[in-house]
Coordinates of all heavy atoms in Angstrom, one line a residue:
S353 N 0.9 -1.2 0.0 CA 0.0 0.0 0.0 C 0.9 1.2 0.0 O 1.8 1.3 0.8 CB -0.9 0.0 1.2 OG -0.2 0.1 2.4
G354 N 0.6 2.1 -0.9 CA 1.4 3.4 -1.0 C 2.1 3.5 -2.3 O 1.6 3.2 -3.3
G355 N 3.4 4.0 -2.2 CA 4.1 4.4 -3.4 C 4.6 3.1 -4.2 O 4.6 2.0 -3.6
T356 N 5.1 3.4 -5.4 CA 5.5 2.3 -6.2 C 7.0 2.1 -6.1 O 7.6 1.1 -6.6 CB 5.1 2.5 -7.6 OG1 5.6 3.8 -8.1 CG2 3.6 2.5 -7.8
Y357 N 7.8 3.1 -5.6 CA 9.2 3.1 -5.6 C 9.7 3.1 -4.2 O 9.2 3.8 -3.3 CB 9.8 4.3 -6.4 CG 9.4 4.3 -7.8 CD1 8.5 5.2 -8.3 CD2 10.0 3.4 -8.7 CE1 8.1 5.3 -9.6 CE2 9.6 3.5 -10.1 CZ 8.7 4.4 -10.5 OH 8.3 4.4 -11.8
K358 N 10.8 2.4 -3.9 CA 11.5 2.5 -2.6 C 13.0 2.7 -3.0 O 13.5 2.0 -3.8 CB 11.4 1.2 -1.8 CG 10.0 1.0 -1.2 CD 10.1 -0.2 -0.2 CE 8.7 -0.3 0.4 NZ 8.7 -1.3 1.4
F359 N 13.5 3.7 -2.3 CA 14.9 4.1 -2.6 C 15.7 3.8 -1.3 O 15.3 4.0 -0.2 CB 15.0 5.6 -2.9 CG 14.3 6.0 -4.1 CD1 13.0 6.6 -4.0 CD2 14.8 5.7 -5.4 CE1 12.3 7.0 -5.1 CE2 14.1 6.1 -6.5 CZ 12.8 6.7 -6.4
R360 N 17.0 3.4 -1.6 CA 17.9 3.1 -0.5 C 19.2 3.9 -0.7 O 19.8 3.8 -1.8 CB 18.1 1.6 -0.4 CG 19.2 1.3 0.7 CD 19.3 -0.2 0.9 NE 18.1 -0.6 1.6 CZ 17.9 -1.8 2.1 NH1 18.9 -2.7 2.0 NH2 16.8 -2.1 2.8
A361 N 19.7 4.6 0.3 CA 20.9 5.2 0.2 C 22.0 4.3 0.7 O 22.0 3.9 1.9 CB 20.9 6.5 1.1
L362 N 22.9 3.8 -0.2 CA 23.9 2.9 0.2 C 25.0 3.5 1.0 O 25.4 2.9 2.1 CB 24.5 2.2 -1.0 CG 23.4 1.4 -1.9 CD1 24.1 0.9 -3.1 CD2 22.9 0.3 -1.0
R363 N 25.5 4.6 0.6 CA 26.6 5.3 1.3 C 26.3 6.7 1.5 O 26.5 7.5 0.6 CB 27.9 5.1 0.6 CG 28.5 3.7 0.5 CD 29.3 3.4 1.8 NE 29.7 2.1 1.7 CZ 29.5 1.2 2.7 NH1 28.8 1.5 3.7 NH2 30.0 0.0 2.6
L364 N 25.7 7.1 2.6 CA 25.4 8.5 2.8 C 26.4 9.1 3.8 O 26.5 8.6 4.9 CB 24.0 8.6 3.5 CG 23.2 9.9 3.2 CD1 23.0 10.1 1.8 CD2 21.8 9.8 3.9
D365 N 27.2 10.0 3.3 CA 28.3 10.5 4.1 C 28.2 12.0 4.3 O 29.0 12.6 5.0 CB 29.7 10.2 3.5 CG 29.9 10.7 2.1 OD1 28.9 11.1 1.5 OD2 31.0 10.8 1.7
H366 N 27.3 12.7 3.7 CA 27.1 14.1 3.9 C 25.6 14.5 3.7 O 24.8 13.7 3.2 CB 28.0 14.9 2.9 CG 27.6 14.7 1.4 ND1 28.1 13.6 0.7 CD2 26.8 15.3 0.6 CE1 27.6 13.6 -0.5 NE2 26.8 14.6 -0.6
G367 N 25.3 15.7 4.1 CA 23.9 16.2 4.0 C 23.9 17.6 4.4 O 24.8 18.2 4.8
T368 N 22.7 18.2 4.2 CA 22.5 19.6 4.6 C 21.9 19.6 6.0 O 20.8 19.1 6.1 CB 21.6 20.3 3.6 OG1 22.2 20.2 2.3 CG2 21.4 21.8 3.9
F369 N 22.5 20.3 6.9 CA 22.0 20.3 8.3 C 21.9 21.8 8.7 O 22.6 22.7 8.2 CB 23.0 19.6 9.2 CG 23.1 18.2 9.0 CD1 24.0 17.6 8.1 CD2 22.2 17.3 9.6 CE1 24.1 16.3 7.9 CE2 22.3 16.0 9.4 CZ 23.2 15.4 8.5
S370 N 20.9 22.0 9.5 CA 20.6 23.4 9.9 C 20.9 23.6 11.4 O 20.8 22.7 12.2 CB 19.1 23.7 9.7 OG 18.3 23.0 10.5
W371 N 21.4 24.9 11.7 CA 21.6 25.4 13.0 C 20.4 26.3 13.3 O 20.5 27.5 12.9 CB 22.9 26.1 13.1 CG 23.4 26.5 14.4 CD1 22.8 26.4 15.6 CD2 24.6 27.2 14.7 NE1 23.5 26.9 16.6 CE2 24.7 27.4 16.1 CE3 25.7 27.6 14.0 CZ2 25.7 28.0 16.7 CZ3 26.8 28.2 14.6 CH2 26.8 28.4 15.9
S372 N 19.4 25.8 13.9 CA 18.1 26.5 13.9 C 18.2 27.8 14.8 O 17.5 28.8 14.4 CB 17.0 25.6 14.4 OG 17.3 25.1 15.7
S373 N 18.9 27.8 15.9 CA 19.0 29.0 16.7 C 19.7 30.2 16.0 O 19.4 31.3 16.3 CB 19.7 28.7 18.0 OG 21.0 28.3 17.8
E374 N 20.6 29.8 15.0 CA 21.2 30.9 14.2 C 20.6 31.0 12.8 O 21.0 31.9 12.0 CB 22.7 30.5 14.1 CG 23.5 30.5 15.4 CD 23.6 31.9 16.0 OE1 23.6 32.9 15.3 OE2 23.7 31.9 17.2
A375 N 19.6 30.3 12.5 CA 18.8 30.3 11.3 C 19.8 30.2 10.0 O 19.7 31.0 9.1 CB 18.0 31.6 11.2
T376 N 20.6 29.2 10.1 CA 21.5 29.0 8.9 C 21.6 27.5 8.7 O 21.4 26.7 9.6 CB 22.9 29.6 9.2 OG1 23.7 29.4 8.0 CG2 23.6 28.9 10.3
S377 N 21.9 27.1 7.5 CA 22.1 25.7 7.2 C 23.3 25.6 6.2 O 23.6 26.4 5.4 CB 20.9 25.1 6.5 OG 20.6 25.7 5.3
R378 N 24.1 24.5 6.4 CA 25.3 24.2 5.6 C 25.4 22.8 5.2 O 24.9 21.9 5.9 CB 26.5 24.6 6.4 CG 26.7 26.0 6.8 CD 27.1 26.8 5.6 NE 27.2 28.2 5.8 CZ 26.3 29.1 5.6 NH1 25.1 28.7 5.1 NH2 26.4 30.4 5.8
K379 N 26.0 22.5 4.1 CA 26.3 21.1 3.7 C 27.5 20.7 4.4 O 28.6 21.3 4.4 CB 26.5 21.1 2.2 CG 26.6 19.7 1.6 CD 26.6 19.7 0.1 CE 26.7 18.3 -0.4 NZ 26.7 18.2 -1.8
T380 N 27.4 19.6 5.2 CA 28.5 19.1 6.0 C 28.6 17.6 6.0 O 27.6 16.9 5.7 CB 28.4 19.7 7.4 OG1 29.6 19.3 8.2 CG2 27.2 19.3 8.1
R381 N 29.7 17.0 6.5 CA 29.9 15.6 6.6 C 29.2 15.0 7.8 O 29.1 15.6 8.9 CB 31.4 15.2 6.7 CG 32.1 15.5 5.4 CD 33.6 15.1 5.6 NE 34.2 15.5 6.8 CZ 34.9 14.7 7.6 NH1 35.0 13.4 7.4 NH2 35.4 15.2 8.7
I382 N 28.6 13.8 7.7 CA 28.1 13.1 8.8 C 29.2 12.2 9.4 O 29.8 11.4 8.7 CB 26.9 12.2 8.4 CG1 25.8 13.0 7.7 CG2 26.4 11.3 9.5 CD1 24.7 12.2 7.1
L383 N 29.5 12.4 10.7 CA 30.6 11.7 11.3 C 30.2 10.4 12.0 O 30.9 9.4 11.9 CB 31.3 12.6 12.3 CG 31.9 13.9 11.8 CD1 32.5 14.7 13.0 CD2 32.9 13.6 10.8
D384 N 29.0 10.5 12.7 CA 28.7 9.3 13.5 C 27.2 9.3 13.8 O 26.6 10.4 13.9 CB 29.5 9.4 14.8 CG 29.4 8.2 15.7 OD1 29.0 7.1 15.1 OD2 29.8 8.2 16.9
V385 N 26.6 8.1 14.0 CA 25.3 8.0 14.5 C 25.4 7.8 16.0 O 26.0 6.9 16.5 CB 24.5 6.8 13.9 CG1 23.1 6.6 14.5 CG2 24.4 6.9 12.4
V386 N 24.8 8.8 16.7 CA 25.1 8.8 18.2 C 24.0 8.1 19.0 O 24.2 7.4 19.9 CB 25.2 10.3 18.7 CG1 25.4 10.3 20.2 CG2 26.3 11.0 18.0
Y387 N 22.7 8.3 18.5 CA 21.6 7.7 19.3 C 20.4 7.4 18.3 O 20.2 8.1 17.4 CB 21.1 8.8 20.3 CG 19.9 8.3 21.1 CD1 20.0 7.4 22.1 CD2 18.7 8.9 20.9 CE1 18.9 7.0 22.9 CE2 17.6 8.5 21.6 CZ 17.7 7.6 22.6 OH 16.6 7.2 23.3
N388 N 19.7 6.3 18.7 CA 18.5 6.0 17.9 C 17.5 5.5 19.0 O 17.8 4.5 19.7 CB 18.8 4.9 16.9 CG 17.7 4.8 15.9 OD1 16.5 4.8 16.3 ND2 18.0 4.7 14.6
A389 N 16.4 6.1 19.0 CA 15.4 5.7 20.1 C 14.8 4.3 19.9 O 14.4 3.7 20.8 CB 14.3 6.8 20.1
S390 N 14.8 3.9 18.6 CA 14.1 2.6 18.4 C 14.9 1.4 18.6 O 14.4 0.4 19.1 CB 13.6 2.5 16.9 OG 14.7 2.6 16.0
N391 N 16.3 1.5 18.3 CA 17.0 0.2 18.4 C 18.5 0.6 18.6 O 19.1 1.3 17.8 CB 16.8 -0.5 17.1 CG 17.3 -2.0 17.2 OD1 18.1 -2.3 18.1 ND2 17.0 -2.8 16.2
N392 N 19.2 -0.1 19.5 CA 20.6 0.2 19.7 C 21.4 -0.5 18.6 O 22.6 -0.1 18.3 CB 21.1 -0.4 21.1 CG 21.3 0.7 22.1 OD1 21.3 1.9 21.7 ND2 21.4 0.3 23.3
E393 N 20.9 -1.5 18.0 CA 21.6 -2.2 16.9 C 21.8 -1.2 15.7 O 22.8 -1.3 15.0 CB 20.8 -3.4 16.4 CG 21.3 -4.1 15.2 CD 22.5 -5.0 15.6 OE1 22.8 -5.2 16.8 OE2 23.2 -5.5 14.7
L394 N 20.9 -0.3 15.5 CA 21.0 0.7 14.5 C 22.2 1.7 14.8 O 22.8 2.2 13.9 CB 19.7 1.5 14.2 CG 18.5 0.6 13.8 CD1 17.3 1.5 13.7 CD2 18.8 -0.1 12.5
V395 N 22.5 1.9 16.0 CA 23.6 2.8 16.4 C 24.9 2.0 16.2 O 25.8 2.6 15.6 CB 23.5 3.2 17.9 CG1 24.7 4.0 18.3 CG2 22.2 4.0 18.1
R396 N 24.9 0.8 16.6 CA 26.1 0.0 16.4 C 26.5 -0.2 14.9 O 27.7 -0.1 14.6 CB 25.9 -1.4 17.1 CG 27.2 -2.2 17.2 CD 27.0 -3.6 17.8 NE 26.2 -4.4 16.9 CZ 26.6 -5.0 15.8 NH1 27.9 -4.9 15.5 NH2 25.8 -5.8 15.1
T397 N 25.5 -0.3 14.1 CA 25.8 -0.6 12.7 C 25.8 0.8 11.9 O 25.9 0.7 10.6 CB 24.8 -1.5 12.0 OG1 23.5 -0.9 12.2 CG2 24.8 -2.9 12.6
Q398 N 25.7 1.9 12.6 CA 25.8 3.2 11.9 C 24.7 3.4 10.9 O 24.9 4.0 9.8 CB 27.2 3.5 11.3 CG 28.3 3.4 12.3 CD 28.3 4.5 13.3 OE1 28.2 5.6 12.9 NE2 28.2 4.2 14.6
T399 N 23.5 2.9 11.1 CA 22.4 3.0 10.2 C 21.7 4.3 10.3 O 21.2 4.7 11.4 CB 21.4 1.8 10.4 OG1 22.1 0.6 10.4 CG2 20.3 1.8 9.4
L400 N 21.5 5.0 9.2 CA 20.8 6.3 9.3 C 19.3 6.1 9.0 O 18.9 5.5 7.9 CB 21.3 7.2 8.2 CG 22.7 7.9 8.5 CD1 23.2 8.6 7.3 CD2 22.6 8.7 9.7
V401 N 18.5 6.4 9.9 CA 17.0 6.4 9.7 C 16.4 7.7 10.2 O 17.1 8.5 10.8 CB 16.4 5.2 10.5 CG1 16.8 3.9 10.0 CG2 16.7 5.3 12.0
K402 N 15.2 7.9 9.9 CA 14.5 9.1 10.3 C 14.5 9.2 11.8 O 14.4 8.2 12.5 CB 13.0 9.1 9.8 CG 12.2 10.3 10.1 CD 10.9 10.1 9.5 CE 10.0 11.3 9.8 NZ 8.7 11.2 9.2
S403 N 14.8 10.4 12.3 CA 14.9 10.8 13.8 C 16.1 10.2 14.5 O 16.1 10.2 15.7 CB 13.6 10.4 14.5 OG 13.6 9.0 14.8
A404 N 17.1 9.7 13.8 CA 18.3 9.3 14.4 C 19.1 10.6 14.7 O 19.1 11.5 14.0 CB 19.1 8.4 13.5
I405 N 19.8 10.5 15.8 CA 20.7 11.7 16.2 C 22.1 11.4 15.7 O 22.7 10.4 16.0 CB 20.6 11.9 17.7 CG1 19.2 12.3 18.1 CG2 21.6 13.0 18.1 CD1 19.0 12.5 19.6
V406 N 22.6 12.3 14.9 CA 23.9 12.1 14.3 C 24.9 13.2 14.7 O 24.5 14.3 15.1 CB 23.8 12.1 12.7 CG1 23.0 10.9 12.2 CG2 23.2 13.4 12.2
Q407 N 26.2 13.0 14.6 CA 27.2 13.9 14.9 C 27.7 14.4 13.6 O 28.1 13.6 12.7 CB 28.3 13.3 15.7 CG 29.4 14.2 16.1 CD 30.4 13.6 17.0 OE1 30.6 12.3 17.0 NE2 31.2 14.3 17.8
V408 N 27.8 15.7 13.4 CA 28.3 16.3 12.1 C 29.5 17.1 12.3 O 29.9 17.5 13.4 CB 27.2 17.1 11.4 CG1 25.9 16.3 11.1 CG2 26.8 18.3 12.2
D409 N 30.2 17.3 11.2 CA 31.4 18.1 11.2 C 31.1 19.6 11.4 O 30.2 20.1 10.7 CB 32.2 17.9 9.9 CG 33.5 18.7 9.8 OD1 34.1 18.9 10.9 OD2 34.0 18.9 8.7
A410 N 31.7 20.2 12.4 CA 31.3 21.6 12.7 C 32.0 22.7 11.9 O 31.7 23.8 12.0 CB 31.6 21.8 14.2
A411 N 33.0 22.3 11.1 CA 33.8 23.3 10.4 C 33.0 24.3 9.6 O 33.3 25.5 9.7 CB 34.9 22.6 9.5
P412 N 32.0 23.9 8.8 CA 31.3 24.9 8.0 C 30.5 25.9 8.9 O 30.4 27.1 8.6 CB 30.3 24.1 7.2 CG 30.9 22.7 7.1 CD 31.6 22.5 8.4
F413 N 30.0 25.4 10.0 CA 29.3 26.3 10.9 C 30.2 27.2 11.7 O 29.9 28.4 11.9 CB 28.4 25.4 11.9 CG 27.3 24.7 11.2 CD1 27.4 23.3 11.0 CD2 26.2 25.3 10.8 CE1 26.4 22.6 10.4 CE2 25.2 24.6 10.2 CZ 25.3 23.2 10.0
K414 N 31.4 26.7 12.0 CA 32.4 27.6 12.7 C 32.9 28.7 11.7 O 33.1 29.8 12.2 CB 33.6 26.7 13.2 CG 33.2 25.9 14.4 CD 34.4 25.0 14.8 CE 35.2 25.7 15.9 NZ 36.2 24.9 16.5
A415 N 33.0 28.3 10.5 CA 33.5 29.3 9.5 C 32.4 30.4 9.3 O 32.7 31.6 9.2 CB 33.8 28.6 8.2
W416 N 31.1 30.0 9.2 CA 30.0 30.9 9.1 C 30.0 31.8 10.3 O 29.8 33.1 10.2 CB 28.7 30.2 9.0 CG 27.5 31.1 9.0 CD1 27.0 31.8 7.9 CD2 26.8 31.5 10.1 NE1 26.0 32.6 8.3 CE2 25.8 32.4 9.7 CE3 26.8 31.2 11.5 CZ2 24.9 33.0 10.6 CZ3 25.9 31.8 12.3 CH2 25.0 32.7 11.9
Y417 N 30.1 31.3 11.5 CA 30.1 32.1 12.8 C 31.2 33.1 12.8 O 31.0 34.2 13.2 CB 30.2 31.1 14.0 CG 29.8 31.7 15.3 CD1 28.5 31.7 15.8 CD2 30.8 32.4 16.1 CE1 28.2 32.2 17.0 CE2 30.5 32.9 17.3 CZ 29.2 32.9 17.7 OH 28.8 33.4 18.9
Q418 N 32.4 32.6 12.3 CA 33.6 33.5 12.3 C 33.3 34.7 11.4 O 33.6 35.9 11.7 CB 34.8 32.7 11.8 CG 36.0 33.6 11.5 CD 36.7 34.1 12.7 OE1 36.7 33.4 13.7 NE2 37.3 35.2 12.7
T419 N 32.8 34.5 10.2 CA 32.5 35.6 9.3 C 31.3 36.5 9.7 O 31.4 37.7 9.5 CB 32.2 35.1 7.8 OG1 31.1 34.2 7.9 CG2 33.5 34.4 7.3
H420 N 30.3 35.9 10.3 CA 29.1 36.6 10.7 C 29.3 37.5 12.0 O 28.9 38.6 12.0 CB 28.0 35.6 10.9 CG 26.6 36.3 11.0 ND1 26.0 36.5 12.2 CD2 25.8 36.8 10.0 CE1 24.9 37.1 12.0 NE2 24.7 37.3 10.7
Y421 N 30.0 36.9 13.0 CA 30.1 37.6 14.3 C 31.6 38.1 14.5 O 31.8 39.0 15.4 CB 29.8 36.7 15.4 CG 28.3 36.4 15.5 CD1 27.8 35.1 15.2 CD2 27.4 37.3 15.8 CE1 26.5 34.8 15.2 CE2 26.0 37.0 15.9 CZ 25.6 35.8 15.6 OH 24.3 35.5 15.6
G422 N 32.5 37.7 13.7 CA 33.9 38.2 13.9 C 34.7 37.6 15.1 O 35.7 38.1 15.4
T423 N 34.1 36.6 15.7 CA 34.8 35.9 16.8 C 34.9 34.4 16.5 O 34.0 33.9 15.8 CB 34.1 36.1 18.2 OG1 32.8 35.6 18.1 CG2 34.1 37.6 18.5
E424 N 35.9 33.8 17.0 CA 36.1 32.3 16.8 C 35.4 31.5 17.9 O 35.4 31.8 19.0 CB 37.6 32.0 16.8 CG 37.8 30.7 16.2 CD 39.3 30.5 15.9 OE1 40.1 31.4 15.9 OE2 39.7 29.3 15.8
L425 N 34.6 30.5 17.4 CA 33.9 29.6 18.4 C 34.9 28.6 19.0 O 35.8 28.2 18.3 CB 32.9 28.8 17.6 CG 31.4 29.3 17.7 CD1 30.5 28.4 16.9 CD2 30.9 29.4 19.1
G426 N 34.7 28.3 20.3 CA 35.5 27.3 20.9 C 36.8 27.7 21.5 O 37.6 26.9 21.8
V427 N 37.1 29.0 21.5 CA 38.3 29.5 22.1 C 38.0 30.2 23.4 O 37.2 31.1 23.5 CB 39.0 30.5 21.1 CG1 40.3 31.1 21.7 CG2 39.3 29.8 19.8
K428 N 38.7 29.8 24.5 CA 38.5 30.3 25.8 C 39.1 31.7 25.9 O 40.2 31.9 25.3 CB 39.1 29.4 26.9 CG 38.5 28.0 26.8 CD 37.9 27.7 28.1 CE 37.3 26.3 28.0 NZ 36.3 26.0 29.0
K429 N 38.5 32.6 26.6 CA 39.0 33.9 26.8 C 40.1 33.9 27.9 O 40.0 33.1 28.9 CB 38.0 34.9 27.3 CG 36.9 35.2 26.2 CD 35.9 36.2 26.7 CE 34.9 36.5 25.6 NZ 33.9 37.4 26.1
E430 N 41.1 34.7 27.8 CA 42.2 34.8 28.9 C 41.7 35.7 30.0 O 41.0 36.7 29.7 CB 43.4 35.4 28.3 CG 44.1 34.4 27.3 CD 45.5 35.0 26.8 OE1 46.0 35.9 27.5 OE2 45.9 34.6 25.8
K431 N 42.0 35.4 31.2 CA 41.7 36.2 32.4 C 42.6 37.4 32.4 O 43.7 37.4 31.9 CB 41.8 35.4 33.7 CG 40.7 34.3 33.7 CD 40.9 33.5 35.0 CE 39.9 32.4 35.1 NZ 40.1 31.6 36.3
E432 N 42.1 38.5 33.0 CA 42.9 39.7 33.1 C 44.2 39.5 33.9 O 45.3 40.1 33.6 CB 42.1 40.8 33.7 CG 41.0 41.3 32.8 CD 40.2 42.4 33.5 OE1 40.7 43.1 34.4 OE2 39.0 42.6 33.1
G433 N 44.2 38.7 34.9 CA 45.4 38.5 35.8 C 46.5 37.6 35.2 O 47.6 37.6 35.6
D434 N 46.1 36.8 34.2 CA 47.1 35.9 33.5 C 48.0 36.7 32.6 O 47.7 37.6 31.9 CB 46.3 34.9 32.7 CG 45.5 33.9 33.5 OD1 45.7 33.9 34.8 OD2 44.7 33.2 33.0
V435 N 49.3 36.3 32.7 CA 50.3 36.8 31.9 C 50.7 35.8 30.8 O 51.1 34.7 31.2 CB 51.5 37.3 32.7 CG1 52.7 37.8 31.8 CG2 51.1 38.3 33.8
K436 N 50.8 36.2 29.6 CA 51.1 35.3 28.5 C 52.6 35.2 28.4 O 53.3 36.2 28.3 CB 50.6 35.8 27.2 CG 50.3 34.7 26.2 CD 49.6 35.2 25.0 CE 49.1 34.1 24.1 NZ 48.4 34.6 23.0
V437 N 53.2 33.9 28.5 CA 54.6 33.7 28.4 C 55.0 33.2 27.0 O 54.4 32.2 26.6 CB 55.1 32.7 29.5 CG1 56.6 32.4 29.4 CG2 54.7 33.2 30.9
N438 N 55.9 33.9 26.4 CA 56.3 33.4 25.0 C 57.5 32.5 25.1 O 58.4 32.5 25.8 CB 56.7 34.6 24.1 CG 55.5 35.4 23.8 OD1 54.4 34.9 23.9 ND2 55.6 36.7 23.5

């Protein structure tokens, strides 16, 4: 019952992902399947299904953040009392 075609992605290694709080989306690599609510076997075999939680490469989003805000993500600020030693 339903459609006449079924498609299967054999090797899915990238996709378009969105950063909703910043209202931007970028094409980036999929690194890992982290969690799947339905079955742990799908996490172990790295199977991508709808609603699976995946880990993606942050580089495109970090580059966008750098150009948009002018500050680098993931860098800790130095305290005023600290002295930098060369």
Side-chain angles (χ1 to χ4, degrees):
S353 67
T356 56
Y357 300 107
K358 286 191 176 181
F359 299 103
R360 173 172 289 189
L362 297 177
R363 292 275 178 237
L364 206 57
D365 61 341
H366 62 276
T368 304
F369 293 90
S370 65
W371 187 359
S372 58
S373 62
E374 297 293 334
T376 186
S377 62
R378 294 287 177 264
K379 187 173 182 179
T380 184
R381 292 184 311 127
I382 299 171
L383 299 178
D384 193 14
V385 177
V386 179
Y387 177 76
N388 195 317
S390 62
N391 193 347
N392 258 349
E393 179 74 11
L394 299 177
V395 176
R396 191 182 66 76
T397 57
Q398 302 292 305
T399 305
L400 286 174
V401 292
K402 185 176 174 181
S403 77
I405 297 178
V406 295
Q407 185 177 21
V408 297
D409 184 22
F413 295 105
K414 287 176 97 172
W416 174 85
Y417 195 91
Q418 170 75 33
T419 57
H420 192 261
Y421 291 109
T423 59
E424 196 171 340
L425 261 179
V427 177
K428 302 238 182 200
K429 293 182 181 177
E430 291 184 20
K431 294 181 182 175
E432 290 179 23
D434 292 347
V435 177
K436 206 172 192 181
V437 178
N438 290 337

